[in-house]
Amino acid sequence: MKAIIFDLDGVLVFTDKFHYQAWKKMADKMGIYFDEVINNRLRGVSRRESLEIILERYEGAPLSEKEKEDLMEYKNDYYKELLKTMGPDDVTEDTRNALKLLREQGHKLAIGSSSKNTKFILKQVAIDDMFDAVSDGTNITHSKPDPEVFEKAAQFLGESYDNCVVVEDAYAGIDAAKAAGMTAVGIGDATSYDKCDYKIKSLMELTELFK
Ligand code: BG6
Ligand code: MG
């Protein structure tokens, strides 16, 4: 039996549009150009690193640490307002069934996400009882492509890294999985990345791959 570690944003739930709207609101306030192409670079990347990527286009005077903290808080406050509009219907039937079946097959399931909002989101969409461990932005010091978030998930589960499978939509997440010595399954955007060990269209395919 395998331990299967799921990324959250872009794999189990589709919060990218909310990240985009919230960063866009902050960027507009600061007069910084920001679009969906730049938003794609934020996939799997921590809140702090996301801010730095957006600030590459900032032409004002250098910002203090306090100003950066305030900008991240401004973004996150609005992001959380948007997250509150999510509910159980925001997890697809396919995803719900796949998680249930994988558990019945005896696999251990965990979350490996850079997001500090992970536990809030899991509760909001009512899948917080489906996982044996949650490793997220609150328990790491290095974000993807560093393997820390997945290594911590394996440690929480008491599993060896080589018995873990990571399911990811971000290139940075696939790199992180491989750096940890884990099997990397790409879904969504990550299916165009040649470092994936497997590529899937639906989470239900996991129940066949790791029977
Ligand atoms: C990842 C997202 O899951 O979490 C990134 O893919 C995001 O886009 C990161 O920046 C951090 O999220 P949060 O919720 O802690 O701001
Ligand atoms: Mg993701």
Side-chain angles (χ1 to χ4, degrees):
M1 291 307 144
K2 294 281 183 193
I4 307 182
I5 307 172
F6 294 87
D7 171 50
L8 180 65
D9 295 306
V11 172
L12 299 176
V13 290
F14 299 93
T15 47
D16 299 36
K17 55 184 185 296
F18 295 149
H19 277 299
Y20 174 72
Q21 286 171 41
W23 282 125
K24 177 80 179 140
K25 190 171 177 208
M26 186 216 78
D28 286 351
K29 181 170 92 100
M30 296 292 290
I32 305 170
Y33 178 79
F34 181 63
D35 63 16
E36 306 234 12
V37 177
I38 303 172
N39 192 58
N40 270 338
R41 289 176 57 203
L42 313 184
R43 220 181 274 278
V45 167
S46 72
R47 194 180 308 167
R48 155 60 66 147
E49 285 161 298
S50 298
L51 175 70
E52 296 296 346
I53 290 172
I54 294 167
L55 290 178
E56 285 170 10
R57 300 258 184 161
Y58 179 60
E59 287 168 357
L63 298 171
S64 67
E65 187 49 37
K66 169 80 174 64
E67 285 168 317
K68 289 184 181 180
E69 293 288 339
D70 289 348
L71 288 176
M72 286 190 284
E73 195 181 322
Y74 179 84
K75 182 265 175 176
N76 196 55
D77 285 349
Y78 185 53
Y79 179 59
K80 282 192 83 168
E81 283 310 308
L82 297 171
L83 290 179
K84 284 181 193 156
T85 66
M86 293 185 95
D89 287 350
D90 287 293
V91 171
T92 65
E93 273 304 296
D94 178 80
T95 296
R96 230 171 254 285
N97 290 336
L99 293 174
K100 195 164 163 276
L101 198 52
L102 287 165
R103 285 179 72 89
E104 284 167 10
Q105 287 177 327
H107 302 297
K108 286 186 192 170
L109 308 187
I111 295 285
S113 167
S114 307
S115 173
K116 290 183 174 159
N117 292 301
T118 294
K119 293 182 186 84
F120 182 80
I121 296 169
L122 292 175
K123 244 193 161 37
Q124 202 63 24
V125 299
I127 52 169
D128 51 324
D129 57 349
M130 301 297 284
F131 301 94
D132 303 291
V134 175
S135 172
D136 65 20
T138 64
N139 60 253
I140 53 168
T141 46
H142 304 289
S143 102
K144 301 168 190 176
D146 189 282
E148 186 182 6
V149 74
F150 297 137
E151 290 173 351
K152 286 268 163 61
Q155 289 160 20
F156 294 160
L157 291 173
E159 284 291 332
S160 62
Y161 300 165
D162 62 1
N163 195 41
C164 292
V165 174
V166 167
V167 188
E168 259 292 347
D169 71 310
Y171 282 41
I174 298 290
D175 285 337
K178 296 314 297 173
M182 299 178 179
T183 303
V185 179
I187 191 166
D189 242 39
T191 55
S192 37
Y193 196 25
D194 58 12
K195 275 206 183 174
C196 298
D197 295 304
Y198 300 96
K199 296 173 179 183
I200 57 171
K201 284 201 177 72
S202 128
L203 294 183
M204 206 46 127
E205 291 172 53
L206 295 170
T207 64
E208 287 298 317
L209 280 176
F210 304 107
K211 231 192 258 192

